[in-house]
Structures are given as C-alpha cells and as structure tokens.
Amino acid sequence: MTNTVKGNMEICFFDIESSGLSTTTDRIVQLSAVKVDSEYNIIPGTQKNIMVNPLMQISAEASEVHGITNIMVADKPTFAAYASSMAAYFSVPVLAGFNIKRFDVPLLSEEFGRCGIVWPAPGTKVIDAYNIFKTKEKRDLAAAVRFYTRTEIQGAHDAENDNLATLAVFKGQLGKYPDIAEMSLEQLDLYCCDGKKTLDLA
C-alpha cells in the first residue's frame, strides 16, 4: 500500500503558537508552515517560519508552554505586515495539522479577518491528525483501564462498575506520574481544568 493522497494537489501543514488559548481575542506569536506534494514530500522552498508581534501581552501560561516571551517578539513585524503574502501562501485546497480544526484554523482566520481578508476559501479541506488520533486511539474509560491497570473493564456502562474502574484508573495515574501524586487537591483541581477555575454552577 502506498502512502499517497488521493488526488494530486498541494497540502499545507501548519502550526501556530499564540499569546493564549482564545481563538478570538488572542494573537499569533509564531507560525510555521510547509507544503507537501501528493506523496507527502516537502516541496522545496515552501517552508515558512515567522515570529509575530501580537500587539498584546503573551500570557505567562502560554510562554511557559512554548517558551516565547514578550521581549522576544517586541521587535518583530505584526501579522498585518505578513497578511498579503500569507494569504497567497495559504490559498491551497487542503490544510493539515494537529488540532487545527479547533484552534489553528479559527485563530488564523481571525488574524486574516482583522486585515480584511476572508480565509479560508469556501471548499477548503482540512486534515486534522488530532481527530484521526482520537478516533483511532480511543480515549474512553475502557481504554484508560487497559492503559493504566493492564486489565479489561468489566460490566462497562454500569454506573457502579464505571465508578470503581475510574478509581482504579486514578490510582494507576498516581503511580505512573510522580508529579501528579505529589499534588494537593487544590493543585489537582487546577490541573484538571488547564490551570483555570472553571466550575461555576451559578
């Protein structure tokens, strides 16, 4: 079996680092992209890697993840300086990346929109390796039991069985990840919601 795309067309793989997690209010600080042919070979001369002044503060949490600080981008061009050339570059029939449907594509679309550019074009296809991953490699309770306890869940989708299986999974996580085992309950609470207090039933 050959690893080729059905259809002879360019595919643009790209990834974005940003000032934060919002696709509407945060901005791009780094963008890397490359185009490949129908056999996934990199097309020479198509690699892009730019740093961008987001015109806003990069959150401490974001800097901790990608290592890009406000000082590092202070003298870089804004996205508007790249917008025209980037719009031409990203005028491709297929986009690809990891988790780009939920984050990178909406964020890039917002950046283009601020510059009066409508992107992506209608009919643009998006291949998301993250969606393939989560579909093919299940992340349900049965998969967690298998991964952390090396056993199979018994009587799945019975509340009592699922609850006891979850307890076994959590204990397995404590044994596998020393940093998790050392956390206080408050730290665990924050860790489980990406460092932000999100539970507000009001």
Side-chain angles (χ1 to χ4, degrees):
M1 183 176 66
T2 57
N3 292 322
T4 59
V5 178
K6 291 182 178 179
N8 185 22
M9 59 177 64
E10 286 184 349
I11 302 171
C12 180
F13 278 80
F14 76 103
D15 185 74
I16 285 170
E17 302 300 339
S18 65
S19 60
L21 296 175
S22 173
T23 57
T24 56
T25 59
D26 279 301
R27 303 291 186 89
I28 293 171
V29 297
Q30 183 187 27
L31 185 152
S32 182
V34 67
K35 292 180 181 179
V36 300
D37 61 25
S38 59
E39 295 184 346
Y40 306 111
N41 297 311
I42 293 175
I43 300 171
T46 64
Q47 290 176 278
K48 303 282 186 185
N49 187 35
I50 61 172
M51 299 288 284
V52 180
N53 183 337
L55 297 175
M56 67 181 296
Q57 289 292 303
I58 302 172
S59 71
E61 293 82 4
S63 287
E64 188 174 338
V65 171
H66 53 54
I68 301 170
T69 65
N70 292 294
I71 294 174
M72 292 168 64
V73 296
D75 62 347
K76 301 301 180 184
T78 64
F79 184 82
Y82 295 111
S84 180
S85 62
M86 283 291 113
Y89 179 88
F90 277 100
S91 294
V92 292
V94 185
L95 301 167
F98 193 86
N99 201 28
I100 62 171
K101 279 180 176 281
R102 187 180 69 87
F103 188 75
D104 301 68
V105 169
L107 181 60
L108 185 53
S109 179
E110 286 284 337
E111 290 279 24
F112 277 127
R114 293 185 189 99
C115 300
I117 298 170
V118 177
W119 181 91
T124 301
K125 297 173 179 59
V126 179
I127 299 170
D128 197 320
Y130 171 71
N131 287 352
I132 295 172
F133 173 56
K134 73 177 184 179
T135 300
K136 288 296 188 180
E137 303 298 332
K138 296 296 185 183
R139 289 297 182 264
D140 55 15
L141 181 58
V145 169
R146 194 175 301 115
F147 183 81
Y148 289 107
T149 73
R150 299 182 184 277
T151 62
E152 296 293 328
I153 189 170
Q154 302 299 316
H157 303 299
D158 171 86
E160 182 179 9
N161 292 335
D162 285 359
N163 192 41
L164 293 174
T166 301
L167 173 59
V169 166
F170 180 63
K171 290 168 70 175
Q173 290 171 330
L174 295 178
K176 187 173 182 64
Y177 310 118
D179 60 323
I180 298 293
E182 293 173 2
M183 287 183 182
S184 66
L185 294 178
E186 182 178 15
Q187 290 171 323
L188 281 169
D189 173 43
L190 287 171
Y191 186 87
C192 290
C193 53
D194 297 322
K196 298 180 180 179
K197 290 281 190 179
T198 58
L199 183 60
D200 183 3
L201 299 182

